[in-house]
Amino acid sequence: MGRNYFGTDGIRGLTNAGVMTAATAMKVGQAAGTRFLRGSHRHRVVIGKDTRLSGYMIENALVAGFTSVGMDVVLTGPLPTPAIAMLTRELRADVGVMISASHNPYEDNGIKLFGPDGFKLSDADELAIEAMLDQDLALAPAAQIGRARRIEDARGRYIHAVKSALPDDVRLDGLKIVVDCANGAAYQVAPSAMWELGAEVITIGVQPNGTNINDKCGSTHLDLIKETVVASGADIGIALDGDADRLIVVDEQGQTVDGDQIMALIGTQLAARSELRGGGLVATVMSNLGLERYLAGQGLTLERAKVGDRYVLEKMKAGGFNVGGEQSGHMILLDHGTTGDGTVAALQVLAALVQSGKKASELLHLFDPVPQLLKNVRFAGGKPLDDPQVKAVIADAEAQLQGKGRLVIRPSGTEPVIRVMAEGDDAREVEAVVDAICAAVKEAAV
């Protein structure tokens, strides 16, 4: 069946429009609750959120839905997505929910669901829940309606967990760190964890007001943190997104360090300690060819998955890998969690910085990325990639880049856009290849 609600990362959209309404949220609570009613024990769901204004509305609607089918609800308030995954397991809950639209503006919101194991739901579970959203579901008898309560120590539990990802003898004394929490879910926990480990912490993006999440701050808007790192003389900058499952680093010179370099560092550090599993890393088709070449030089492999952290995770679990991620900053470290965790990944980087004694610009520049260019082509309808002329141009481009570059062409999963990416050693050749394909797609889409 087709998907009308779930995308590649839960349900997401403009609040009070389309699928992201209170009515839908209540139905999601009822459907997910019904799906995960299993056995005779008292059932429980953990619900967390980021700092969006609409989080109050969606949270209350979900509570109504889950309690109406007999599930008890545990509310955590604003916490990172990986914290909800962790607490779902720790509290022996049957399902977990994170209310967030990640790096999107505050007007959007979303619902991410976790199973009792703390992993995001399988396609089968999502499809089963989606099928129930348009049905009348059985409600609990009056005596079995669920209760809701808020736990006050959720932040402390998560801080303890992320600090436990480092050896007990690792301290961050002497480091000056700028932490940008995007006015989002990690605005309290990320700075606190780093301060407790001994770092001098300069915070930005820690004054959420419901409407400023990701607003000119965080991992997708780096100007502010770059300026702050350089002006303050900090050793490094840590930029998270709205739900703190994504990390981008800024070195002491104000230069961006993306997910590819972060993966390279964490992977090779673990390999040196014989703690890397799977013989390499898992990334997506968008990760730079320079990363693949660097890992090969270290005797490590790079397995590529479709874009989306859920696909990275699937390949990691299937191949026995413990490190994976995306160029955009999602870092999945399965030794420490079940989903991307920007704070845990940041602490791995900070520990390496302390232990190496190097500057961030030296430690985190492990390879030179090859020239890479991505362009989007919007089209009105149809399937431009099925056009014979488009196929011919793509075949020519693949032959041209054979052995010295890569070509990735994919339709967007959320909008009528074709994404054309090429990379190779010659920047002019890469640009010419991308432009030729874009032109062919535009002509076919007319």
Side-chain angles (χ1 to χ4, degrees):
M1 62 175 284
R3 289 172 176 259
N4 297 317
Y5 295 91
F6 284 92
T8 56
D9 195 17
I11 302 171
R12 188 180 299 184
L14 180 64
T15 309
N16 274 351
V19 300
M20 193 45 56
T21 65
T24 298
M26 187 174 73
K27 285 292 292 188
V28 169
Q30 292 176 331
T34 300
R35 176 70 175 173
F36 285 93
L37 287 173
R38 54 206 176 107
S40 58
H41 65 278
R42 191 70 191 173
H43 292 80
R44 177 181 293 169
V45 55
V46 176
I47 300 179
K49 61 181 180 179
D50 63 23
T51 57
R52 294 164 208 271
L53 179 64
S54 58
Y56 297 100
M57 178 185 77
I58 301 299
E59 179 183 62
N60 285 322
L62 284 165
V63 170
F66 278 110
T67 54
S68 72
V69 296
M71 270 205 173
D72 290 337
V73 177
V74 175
L75 298 168
T76 70
L79 272 184
T81 290
I84 303 310
M86 179 205 80
L87 287 168
T88 299
R89 300 193 319 276
E90 185 177 297
L91 295 174
R92 311 302 193 267
D94 301 277
V95 62
V97 184
M98 178 65 183
I99 305 166
S100 176
S102 190
H103 57 280
N104 287 26
Y106 87 91
E107 294 92 344
D108 292 347
N109 215 330
I111 299 172
K112 302 179 184 183
L113 297 171
F114 295 93
D117 57 0
F119 287 100
K120 291 180 180 177
L121 296 192
S122 66
D123 286 338
D125 281 325
E126 286 188 350
L127 288 172
I129 291 168
E130 177 139 338
M132 289 188 277
L133 293 180
D134 296 319
Q135 299 175 7
D136 290 329
L137 300 175
L139 302 181
Q144 297 176 21
I145 291 172
R147 300 173 182 269
R149 62 173 292 185
R150 190 171 298 274
I151 56 173
E152 302 301 331
D153 63 344
R155 289 196 299 271
R157 293 187 189 202
Y158 177 65
I159 291 170
H160 174 74
V162 297
K163 288 167 56 184
S164 299
L166 297 182
D168 290 342
D169 61 344
V170 173
R171 295 182 57 88
L172 304 182
D173 298 66
L175 276 190
K176 181 186 285 189
I177 306 167
V178 177
V179 183
D180 183 351
C181 297
N183 291 312
Y187 77 101
Q188 293 173 314
V189 293
S192 295
M194 295 172 198
W195 176 83
E196 289 183 16
L197 287 166
E200 178 184 347
V201 180
I202 300 169
T203 55
I204 54 180
V206 293
Q207 295 180 312
N209 62 15
T211 63
N212 62 358
I213 188 171
N214 302 312
D215 184 15
K216 300 181 180 64
C217 59
S219 63
T220 52
H221 302 279
L222 296 172
D223 287 349
L224 179 59
I225 190 171
K226 288 181 176 182
E227 294 170 4
T228 307
V229 166
V230 173
S232 65
D235 298 296
I236 195 169
I238 301 298
L240 305 172
D241 67 337
D243 68 334
D245 64 354
R246 182 183 297 200
L247 165 70
I248 295 292
V249 171
V250 173
D251 69 24
E252 84 283 356
Q253 299 174 0
Q255 299 300 307
T256 302
V257 180
D258 67 12
D260 285 348
Q261 298 281 1
I262 298 169
M263 278 188 284
L265 174 67
I266 293 175
T268 52
Q269 292 270 319
L270 289 178
R273 301 196 297 266
S274 300
E275 296 175 6
L276 186 69
R277 298 197 304 274
L281 313 179
V282 178
T284 75
V285 293
M286 301 305 291
S287 276
N288 195 274
L289 181 60
L291 172 62
E292 187 171 345
R293 291 173 175 174
Y294 171 76
L295 292 174
Q298 304 295 312
L300 303 173
T301 62
L302 180 67
E303 297 290 327
R304 294 186 183 269
K306 292 191 296 184
V307 173
D309 63 322
R310 67 180 298 165
Y311 301 115
V312 172
L313 179 59
E314 286 175 4
K315 184 153 285 196
M316 290 175 68
K317 291 168 71 176
F321 296 88
N322 60 340
V323 177
E326 297 187 271
Q327 189 182 63
S328 61
H330 284 112
M331 298 291 122
I332 303 175
L333 307 178
L334 282 182
D335 292 339
H336 307 297
T338 55
T339 189
D341 193 326
T343 307
V344 165
L347 291 180
Q348 306 302 309
V349 172
L350 296 174
L353 194 63
V354 169
Q355 292 167 333
S356 70
K358 297 178 179 179
K359 292 185 178 296
S361 56
E362 182 183 358
L363 178 73
L364 287 160
H365 188 89
L366 295 172
F367 64 89
D368 291 323
V370 305
Q372 186 182 78
L373 181 63
L374 169 67
K375 290 189 177 181
N376 296 325
V377 184
R378 188 169 294 274
F379 61 97
K383 296 182 177 180
L385 294 182
D386 291 341
D387 183 86
Q389 182 58 32
V390 173
K391 289 182 176 181
V393 173
I394 292 173
D396 289 343
E398 289 174 337
Q400 189 174 345
L401 293 174
Q402 183 71 35
K404 54 183 178 178
R406 285 194 317 126
L407 183 65
V408 178
I409 301 170
R410 62 185 184 91
S412 167
T414 58
E415 55 184 336
V417 167
I418 303 295
R419 307 196 192 283
V420 181
M421 189 278 282
E423 59 182 357
D425 297 315
D426 187 329
R428 288 180 295 181
E429 183 178 46
V430 166
E431 184 174 10
V433 162
V434 170
D435 287 345
I437 296 172
C438 289
V441 170
K442 287 177 182 177
E443 186 173 342
V446 172

